[in-house]
Amino acid sequence: MTEFDPEKFEDKYVHYFEELETAYSNAYQNLHGRYDSEVLRGIDRQILSESEPVYEGDGEFRVVLPDDASERAESLPGDEETFDAVLTAFTDNIEAELRRLFGFDS
């Protein structure tokens, strides 16, 4: 478990790059096999690769999506309902992994 400093998280790619990479990777692995792999991979590469994890305070994180996420989604297989379900599950998992990695979940 990495000691978390909210002030350092503002410069997260310098101080917490490895933890961020681990959280995104673990979230992907948690969902692999539960959702269509093409949709999952597309969301990972086309949307979440440009997302921004934000520390909200009180041990809570939020994943901010790129402004053009809807346009990026148009090129992915499946319908809007599937996309929304996978994206929500993915971001929820990333946020949970960040809480776990930084010791906010007991």
Side-chain angles (χ1 to χ4, degrees), residues 1 13-14 20 22 25 28 37-38 43 47 50 60 65 67 73 76-77 88 91 97 101 103-104:
M1 176 175 26
Y13 299 111
V14 171
L20 296 171
T22 298
S25 177
Y28 184 92
S37 61
E38 282 188 58
I43 288 173
I47 296 170
E50 298 295 323
E60 293 298 319
L65 302 176
D67 291 336
L76 299 177
T88 297
T91 56
E97 282 295 317
L101 287 168
F104 291 110

Side-chain angles (χ1 to χ4, degrees), residues 63-105:
V63 175
V64 177
L65 302 176
D67 291 336
D68 63 346
S70 298
E71 291 89 38
R72 292 170 186 235
E74 291 173 2
S75 67
L76 299 177
D79 57 23
E80 187 176 341
E81 187 176 322
T82 300
F83 167 79
D84 288 342
V86 175
L87 182 60
T88 297
F90 211 150
T91 56
D92 287 351
N93 266 265
I94 292 167
E95 293 162 0
E97 282 295 317
L98 288 169
R99 286 190 304 273
R100 186 186 67 75
L101 287 168
F102 290 120
F104 291 110
D105 284 347

